[in-house]
Amino acid sequence: MTLLARAECQLKAHPLALDASLAAGVLLCMLAGSFVDPHGEHSVSWSIHSPDPLSLLLMTLGAVALVFRRSAPMTVLALTGAASVIESVTGDPRAPVAMSAVIALFTVAAGTDRATTLRAGLLTMTVLTGAAMLAGPLPWYAQENLGILAWTGIGATAGDAVRSRRAVVQAIRDRAERAERTREEEARRRVAEERLRIARDLHDVVAHHIALVNVQAGVAAHVMDKRPDQAKEALAHVREASRSALNELRATVGLLRQSGDPEAPTEPAPGLERLDELAGTFRNAGLHVEVARTDHETKLPAAVDLAAYRVIQEALTNVQKHAGGEAKAEVSVVRVGPNIEVTVLDNGRSEGEESPREGGGHGLLGMRERVTALRGTLTTGPRYGGGFRVHAILPIKTRTATTGESA
């Protein structure tokens, strides 16, 4: 069985050799059929006779033409059809030259569309059968004439069936390939989204705490000699901010651990319930922060809660870094219909001063990506008269939350 499969693969790899083998087999079948002569008036009997040289020549030409049936199918059909017509008109008894025309018609039907198959099949059947019935030595109703009609029809039908099957198989393969590509693209997209989410979390955590550490370290360095007690207090805030940064980094990196790694921290992601604590860290760093909330009875989905917290955290971090030492910030969280609206205002730089927040960096971009991922909107920009405004509108019922509730 292995040898047969190997031989089949080799023949498929060399189609010309396969066609040559087919032509040789067809020639042998035509030669074997040409030696048999059915005759008798009331019964069928068989006798052996030698075909004439013209029939041998036509059979040989028809078989040789089949070697090129893949490269020039219509030409081969025309040549084998012409040889069959000549044999139908001159052969008596008739040799089965029409077998080569049937194989050529099958090739045309298998390699072209249905309309071409219909035209070629009707033309071949009409010409071969008409020539045999009208100009041949046998009566028009002879079985050999009807056999030509039947075999040409079978060749066209079988070729069309093979073509249809190939088309179905190819369509299945194409669908499988498209599905595989879609799965790979979806996997790559999910990986990219997860990387982006982790990068946003790391940026928010590091930027917030490092900004606080930087401010408190500057305060400690400034008052170290004259007011050591205040310097110690600033250093304590540095230690607390660095500890918080390490804890949040550990929680974020813990999400990337494999199943065999040590257990990741189970502390929940921060949300608006920690807003007062967040504002306190900025107040300790010297930033005057006022918080106003009218959403205490609203239960937010985890993704919306985290996004609102991160927007406020990043906005206050930007105020701390860019708005100047005397800046004040106002934070408001309001429930408006099906949305939660988060606004952070500051009275930092005057209108004519350059605002670094509108330049490079990933803070505003990260906020916008977070809000957009939840189908919300984010608007940022300088305020009239000075300062900056960050305004986020987040839908309380996200698509993920709705799906989970319906399930």
Side-chain angles (χ1 to χ4, degrees):
M1 188 66 180
T2 304
L3 294 176
L4 290 176
R6 187 179 303 173
E8 183 180 359
C9 292
Q10 291 178 351
L11 288 175
K12 288 183 178 180
H14 301 84
L16 189 62
L18 178 61
D19 291 338
S21 302
L22 176 64
V26 171
L27 178 60
L28 290 177
C29 291
M30 290 190 296
L31 289 175
S34 65
F35 282 93
V36 179
D37 176 27
H39 64 278
E41 295 182 359
H42 302 288
S43 63
V44 177
S45 60
W46 305 87
S47 64
I48 303 299
H49 79 286
S50 298
D52 54 46
L54 180 59
S55 297
L56 291 175
L57 177 62
L58 293 174
M59 286 186 288
T60 303
L61 291 176
V64 170
L66 292 178
V67 177
F68 308 98
R69 67 189 185 96
R70 295 177 192 265
S71 58
M74 299 300 292
T75 303
V76 171
L77 177 60
L79 292 176
T80 54
S84 300
V85 169
I86 295 173
E87 176 63 21
S88 298
V89 173
T90 61
D92 188 18
R94 187 181 300 164
V97 181
M99 183 181 296
S100 61
V102 172
I103 300 297
L105 181 59
F106 169 86
T107 303
V108 170
T112 59
D113 56 276
R114 181 159 295 173
T116 303
T117 299
L118 182 61
R119 290 193 296 267
L122 290 176
L123 180 62
T124 303
M125 285 190 290
T126 301
V127 172
L128 266 63
T129 307
M133 289 183 174
L134 299 178
L138 298 176
W140 68 269
Y141 53 84
Q143 293 182 357
E144 288 84 347
N145 297 337
L146 299 178
I148 292 176
L149 177 65
W151 280 107
T152 50
I154 291 174
T157 304
D160 185 71
V162 169
R163 181 197 56 78
S164 299
R165 181 181 179 278
R166 288 175 181 171
V168 171
V169 171
Q170 187 61 39
I172 294 174
R173 290 176 179 172
D174 293 341
R175 285 197 297 270
E177 291 177 359
R178 285 196 299 270
E180 184 66 24
R181 287 196 299 269
T182 302
R183 283 193 297 268
E184 293 176 355
E185 292 172 358
E186 179 67 16
R188 286 194 294 268
R189 185 186 65 81
R190 290 182 180 273
V191 169
E193 289 180 352
E194 185 64 15
R195 287 176 177 173
L196 184 61
R197 185 191 66 79
I198 294 172
R200 285 197 300 262
D201 285 341
L202 290 175
H203 172 272
D204 293 343
V205 170
V206 172
H208 163 61
H209 292 289
I210 294 302
L212 297 180
V213 167
N214 179 61
V215 171
Q216 295 292 350
V219 171
H222 182 69
V223 301
M224 180 67 71
D225 296 332
K226 297 181 179 180
R227 287 175 286 178
D229 293 338
Q230 188 175 353
K232 289 182 180 179
E233 183 181 353
L235 292 176
H237 290 314
V238 169
R239 184 171 61 252
E240 182 64 26
S242 61
R243 184 184 298 113
S244 299
L246 289 174
N247 290 336
E248 291 201 39
L249 284 174
R250 189 178 297 113
T252 302
V253 175
L255 298 175
L256 304 178
R257 295 183 182 274
Q258 303 295 326
S259 58
D261 293 340
E263 184 177 357
T266 57
E267 181 181 358
L272 291 179
E273 74 278 357
R274 294 176 55 182
L275 180 56
D276 292 335
E277 177 186 345
L278 177 66
T281 61
F282 283 99
R283 294 190 186 105
N284 293 333
L287 178 64
H288 181 76
V289 181
E290 295 182 358
V291 179
R293 299 184 61 177
T294 61
D295 68 314
H296 293 288
E297 301 299 325
T298 303
K299 184 173 179 58
L300 300 177
V304 176
D305 201 19
L306 176 61
Y309 179 88
R310 293 301 190 196
V311 167
I312 297 173
Q313 183 185 52
E314 180 61 29
L316 292 177
T317 301
N318 287 339
V319 175
Q320 183 76 52
K321 289 165 45 178
H322 303 301
E326 302 299 325
K328 297 181 180 180
E330 299 177 4
V331 178
S332 66
V333 181
V334 181
R335 167 74 182 267
V336 180
N339 302 319
I340 193 82
E341 295 191 10
V342 175
T343 306
V344 180
L345 306 175
D346 70 78
N347 63 343
R349 298 177 182 273
S350 62
E351 188 176 4
E353 295 184 72
E354 180 185 0
S355 177
R357 286 172 283 187
E358 299 183 56
H362 301 283
L364 296 181
L365 178 61
M367 283 194 288
R368 191 174 306 280
E369 288 173 346
R370 282 185 182 277
V371 174
T372 304
L374 298 174
R375 297 182 178 272
T377 58
L378 177 74
T379 56
T380 60
R383 300 172 62 193
Y384 179 76
F388 204 79
R389 177 178 182 268
V390 175
H391 181 66
I393 301 176
L394 296 167
I396 295 177
K397 291 186 178 180
T398 63
R399 181 174 55 179
T400 303
T402 304
T403 303
E405 293 172 2
S406 63

